[in-house]
Amino acid sequence: MTMTSALNLSAVLPEIVLALSGMALLMFGVFSKGDTTRSVGWLAVIAFVVAAVLVLTGAPDQLVFGGAFIVDSFAVFSKVLILGGAALILIMALQWLEAEKIGRFEFAIVLLFGTTGMLMMVSANDLMSLYLGLELQSLAAYVVAAFNRDNLRSTEAGLKYFVLGSVASGLLLFGMSFVYGFAGTTTFIGIAEGLSHGHASTGVLVGLVFMLAGLSFKISAAPFHMWTPDVYEGAPTPVTAFFAIAPKVAALALMARVLLGPFEAMADQWQQVVWFVAVLSMFIGGFAAITQTNIKRLMAYSSIGHVGYALIGLAVADQEGVRGMLIYLAIYLFMNVGTFAVILSMRHKGRATENISDLAGLSKTHPMMALWLAVFMFSMAGIPPLAGFFGKLYVFLAAIQAEMYGLAVIGVLTSVVSAFYYIRIIKVMYFDEPVEAFDRPTKATSAILGLCGLFVTLFILYPAPILGAAEAAAASLFSAG
């Protein structure tokens, strides 16, 4: 890892592009006449694509701003997932927002700034840069959760998210102050050096526990998941899709960098906490979703369960575990984008619907949509040979290699439980009597649905790009640490 000048901005070009694009598009939207929602939205998608190209072509292994910002293969892998997920969700959101008559150009701009914060999170190498990125992302999330301000459920979702998110941020900041007070530095490198020389203290451990509580809230891991079902149900559906994908990838990547960087020497202590959070998340995600009738609430509990599976890789605390977690996140992104493409297409005569019962007979009215949704449901349940099976396989194998057999067994058992509600959706689509047919989905949504479906189906034929990139990313995290 090479330390470069604090004035060398090449390492932060993707973040700069997104921030400047957000400010420029804000001016464009304010001073343009007429409705600019669609034009601003597509320009924001272009900004995401440009940022992704800059991430992939940028110079690797850099430390800038006095070591507070790091660029390595781990950051590159995570940033590409975040930018890809944000771009796909925004493309699908534009038509949905127009149909609901809540299309405003500010939506894309808030997503731009929120995504900028996520990119900062995964490159954070100091407690200060960590908090700046996290809060930039969180403030944007509070706004878009309440974006449909004339809808009571949306404003309630935004308020709940803001209040509980503020508590979580307070816990995180309190823990960071403990760590700084006892370690004497905010840099990840400095904290790691102090702990490796045996300077760990009870104060640092207490600070780490509070930080873990705050970060667990951000990924909606149990027992800090209480906001998730209500916010997912109340927020506009494109916002729910965004919450389920990009912020989770960013927060899990940040948690991995924090635990396996500055606090790697304390792995014996924090592994127990991550183990407990993973198990509780898998149980709650598996059992609480069974009784849900609203598909957005079901996806909220599903996401809690998936976070539990991803945390298995982090609980292992070695390179194989991180590799499994990253593979899981990449596959999780495509499964969720595809699933939400179907949910966004659930419209009767222009009116959005959210009940699972509305999917009845979908195989007869929209056979291709039903086929792809069945693929995603089987994949989320971990049925081979779909991609979701391999996501779980790699995290379970990492746990077994680390002799954490109990964690792997619990993961398999909760997968069986979760299969019930995924397969129930397939039963509703294929065996229940058809209800009123959905409106025809937009071409962009259909294209994204097909893209995600092909990825999930054909992953088994050519998994090398994802596996190789995840391997390099995990290796760079440990070499940096």
Side-chain angles (χ1 to χ4, degrees):
M1 185 68 61
T2 56
M3 177 77 77
T4 58
S5 168
L7 297 177
N8 181 2
L9 299 180
S10 62
V12 292
L13 266 181
E15 289 81 2
I16 292 173
V17 165
L18 290 187
L20 292 179
S21 298
M23 289 185 278
L25 290 176
L26 182 60
M27 294 298 101
F28 173 73
V30 168
F31 292 109
S32 296
K33 295 181 180 178
D35 184 14
T36 58
T37 303
R38 185 170 286 272
S39 54
V40 169
W42 281 103
L43 288 170
V45 170
I46 293 171
F48 286 137
V49 173
V50 172
V53 171
L54 291 172
V55 167
L56 290 168
T57 58
D61 298 336
Q62 294 188 77
L63 276 172
V64 293
F65 302 122
F69 192 93
I70 187 171
V71 178
D72 55 11
S73 297
F74 180 81
V76 169
F77 186 94
S78 304
K79 288 180 182 181
V80 169
L81 291 184
I82 292 165
L83 290 165
L88 292 174
I89 294 300
L90 181 54
I91 291 170
M92 295 191 294
L94 294 174
Q95 185 69 33
W96 193 93
L97 293 171
E98 285 183 8
E100 290 293 303
K101 296 180 173 56
I102 56 172
R104 303 184 192 94
F105 72 87
E106 294 92 344
F107 182 83
I109 293 166
V110 175
L111 286 196
L112 271 174
F113 287 125
T115 307
T116 306
M118 292 178 215
L119 300 195
M120 290 176 63
M121 286 165 61
V122 298
S123 282
N125 202 42
D126 186 288
L127 294 178
M128 296 297 100
S129 54
L130 178 160
Y131 194 73
L132 284 172
L134 192 66
E135 285 309 294
L136 178 56
Q137 177 261 317
S138 297
L139 289 172
Y142 304 149
V143 173
V144 290
F147 194 76
N148 187 8
R149 58 177 182 260
D150 297 325
N151 182 284
L152 182 62
R153 288 198 310 165
S154 181
T155 51
E156 180 187 347
L159 185 60
K160 282 182 178 178
Y161 195 18
F162 172 69
V163 171
L164 293 172
S166 300
V167 173
S169 295
L171 290 173
L172 181 67
L173 202 56
F174 184 66
M176 287 164 51
S177 66
F178 256 84
V179 172
Y180 171 63
F182 285 91
T185 179
T186 60
T187 66
F188 287 2
I189 296 172
I191 295 169
E193 287 178 353
L195 295 179
S196 65
H197 289 108
H199 296 159
S201 66
T202 304
V204 174
L205 182 59
V206 170
L208 178 57
V209 169
F210 275 103
M211 288 179 64
L212 276 174
L215 292 173
S216 295
F217 176 92
K218 300 299 180 183
I219 60 174
S220 64
F224 306 97
H225 66 286
M226 70 293 290
W227 61 275
T228 314
D230 290 340
V231 172
Y232 274 43
E233 182 182 8
T237 306
V239 176
T240 303
F242 182 70
F243 285 171
I245 297 162
K248 283 202 169 37
V249 174
L252 278 163
L254 173 63
M255 187 179 281
R257 191 179 289 285
V258 168
L259 293 179
L260 297 168
F263 298 104
E264 187 178 11
M266 300 177 68
D268 290 342
Q269 284 88 1
W270 58 253
Q271 270 183 298
Q272 302 166 42
V273 179
V274 177
W275 190 97
F276 173 76
V277 170
V279 169
L280 200 57
S281 298
M282 290 187 289
F283 265 106
I284 289 177
F287 285 94
I290 291 175
T291 59
Q292 302 305 316
T293 57
N294 182 291
I295 196 163
K296 286 165 68 176
R297 286 186 75 88
L298 184 143
M299 290 303 295
Y301 285 109
S302 171
S303 75
I304 294 167
H306 285 295
V307 163
Y309 298 123
L311 285 175
I312 292 176
L314 188 54
V316 172
D318 63 14
Q319 189 170 318
E320 285 302 307
V322 174
R323 173 175 173 261
M325 184 188 80
L326 293 176
I327 294 169
Y328 196 94
L329 289 177
I331 293 170
Y332 170 84
L333 183 148
F334 283 95
M335 293 190 300
N336 270 264
V337 170
T339 302
F340 275 100
V342 175
I343 296 172
L344 287 164
S345 301
M346 291 172 62
R347 307 187 69 84
H348 291 307
K349 297 179 180 177
R351 180 179 58 85
T353 59
E354 298 175 0
N355 291 323
I356 295 173
S357 58
D358 294 316
L359 292 167
L362 186 65
S363 62
K364 299 178 179 65
T365 57
H366 287 282
M368 283 306 297
M369 191 188 298
L371 173 65
W372 287 133
L373 185 56
V375 166
F376 299 132
M377 294 297 101
F378 278 129
S379 182
M380 286 188 181
I383 306 297
L386 300 174
F389 166 76
F390 294 97
K392 291 182 178 177
L393 175 67
Y394 284 110
V395 291
F396 292 161
L397 284 177
I400 291 169
Q401 288 175 7
E403 299 184 356
M404 300 178 76
Y405 303 115
L407 198 56
V409 169
I410 292 169
V412 172
L413 293 177
T414 52
S415 292
V416 174
V417 174
S418 66
F420 171 81
Y421 56 81
Y422 292 131
I423 294 175
R424 185 185 65 178
I425 291 176
I426 298 170
K427 174 260 179 188
V428 169
M429 292 192 298
Y430 280 89
F431 297 103
D432 287 11
E433 284 301 312
V435 293
E436 187 179 6
F438 291 145
D439 302 341
R440 183 178 295 275
T442 64
K443 291 181 179 178
T445 302
S446 297
I448 291 172
L449 179 60
L451 170 70
C452 295
L454 289 173
F455 175 89
V456 170
T457 307
L458 303 178
F459 177 81
I460 186 175
L461 299 180
Y462 191 53
I466 298 292
L467 303 187
E471 179 73 37
S476 74
L477 182 65
F478 281 86
S479 65

